[in-house]
Amino acid sequence: MSTQGLSEIDIASYLARTPGFFERHAELLAHVELANPHGPRAVSLQQRQMEMLRERIRGLERRLMDMIRNGQDNAALTDRLHQWICALMLVNDPRDLPDMLVVDLQEQFRIPQVAMRLWDVAPAFADEPVARSVGPELKRFASSLRTPYCGVNTTFEAVRWLGHPSAVASLALLPLRRSYTGPAFGMLVLGSPDPTRYTPEMGTDILMRISELASAAVTRLLPDSD
């Protein structure tokens, strides 16, 4: 084979198409030297291949550790969600549900501030603190949400439901509704002083589950649906 006029791409293509080349010319591997990316010295092709292999192994180990950590985090979240559901199911008096739901949610998920409001409740619960007045604009906003709102603290009315609204840097607003397509009858607000706790880019799967479970629990305070 003539090498006249061959480019590096031609040579690379030839070697890729001829896997037996280095088997027939194994002595070349010990003499081909490459620049070491970790220093000025040159290393043989074999040494460079070993370094590349070790780097790949280290990368795989990091990915494996990340997967293990994510699995542990998900298991912990699932356990907290389970404990919260059990607590909700053990509440006998519907009047106790709002306070228990908020307090236990705050403790299980280590949320600095949590509050909830409901509207259009059954007459028997109209005087409960959770049924205090909510503006029509916020009701419309709650009904427009198909997924929880996560972001910075703006001028949302719901922030004022929290005990220390000025300390909130990020928040999540969770609509409460009987069904996915139905209008909202309430809202949960989660507040944190950490601006990165709730962001528009975050996954909302767990928040969606919390919203659905809370909705199901507090329907006991609503009029019977037709």
Side-chain angles (χ1 to χ4, degrees):
M1 174 182 175
S2 173
T3 59
Q4 186 176 3
L6 289 176
S7 67
E8 291 184 356
I9 295 176
D10 293 329
I11 296 171
S13 297
Y14 171 76
L15 293 175
R17 295 194 308 269
T18 316
F21 178 84
F22 284 112
E23 293 179 7
R24 296 190 297 272
H25 304 279
E27 72 281 358
L28 291 176
L29 294 174
H31 298 290
V32 176
E33 292 190 343
L34 303 174
N36 187 344
H38 304 299
R41 68 184 180 87
V43 296
S44 70
L45 182 58
Q46 290 172 314
Q47 289 175 296
R48 180 69 182 107
Q49 286 176 321
M50 289 299 296
E51 288 181 0
M52 292 174 63
L53 182 58
R54 281 193 285 267
E55 288 173 1
R56 289 184 62 186
I57 291 173
R58 284 193 289 268
L60 291 172
E61 287 175 342
R62 287 192 293 269
R63 289 178 60 186
L64 179 60
M65 292 305 298
D66 288 341
M67 291 173 63
I68 291 172
R69 280 192 293 269
N70 289 337
Q72 292 172 337
D73 291 343
N74 289 337
L77 282 173
T78 301
D79 184 62
R80 292 173 193 165
L81 200 60
H82 174 77
Q83 296 297 327
W84 185 59
I85 295 169
C86 289
L88 291 177
M89 294 178 68
L90 291 172
V91 176
N92 291 319
D93 189 341
R95 286 180 173 79
D96 296 333
L97 257 176
D99 285 343
M100 181 265 126
L101 185 152
V102 166
V103 171
D104 205 58
L105 179 66
Q106 192 170 356
E107 291 178 354
Q108 290 290 347
F109 294 91
R110 301 182 180 90
I111 305 171
Q113 298 192 68
V114 180
M116 181 174 64
R117 291 286 177 86
L118 306 176
W119 48 88
D120 300 328
V121 298
F125 308 109
D127 294 329
E128 295 297 316
V130 74
R132 281 176 289 189
S133 177
V134 175
E137 185 176 346
L138 184 62
K139 292 180 181 180
R140 287 193 294 271
F141 175 69
S143 290
S144 73
L145 291 175
R146 294 304 166 200
T147 59
Y149 167 89
C150 298
V152 297
N153 179 7
T154 61
T155 56
F156 287 112
E157 173 190 338
V159 179
R160 298 197 296 272
W161 305 346
L162 300 170
H164 304 283
S166 61
V168 176
S170 66
L171 54 84
L173 302 176
L174 283 60
L176 306 177
R177 46 170 49 96
R178 289 184 187 268
S179 66
Y180 181 75
T181 57
F185 62 77
M187 178 178 281
L188 263 173
V189 54
L190 319 179
S192 172
D194 180 359
T196 64
R197 176 74 182 264
Y198 302 110
T199 66
E201 299 80 19
M202 69 180 292
T204 58
D205 287 350
I206 290 295
L207 294 178
M208 286 286 290
R209 298 294 175 267
I210 290 173
S211 176
E212 293 166 0
L213 291 165
S215 297
V218 298
T219 53
R220 295 171 62 188
L221 283 77
L222 303 182
D224 292 335
S225 58
D226 296 330

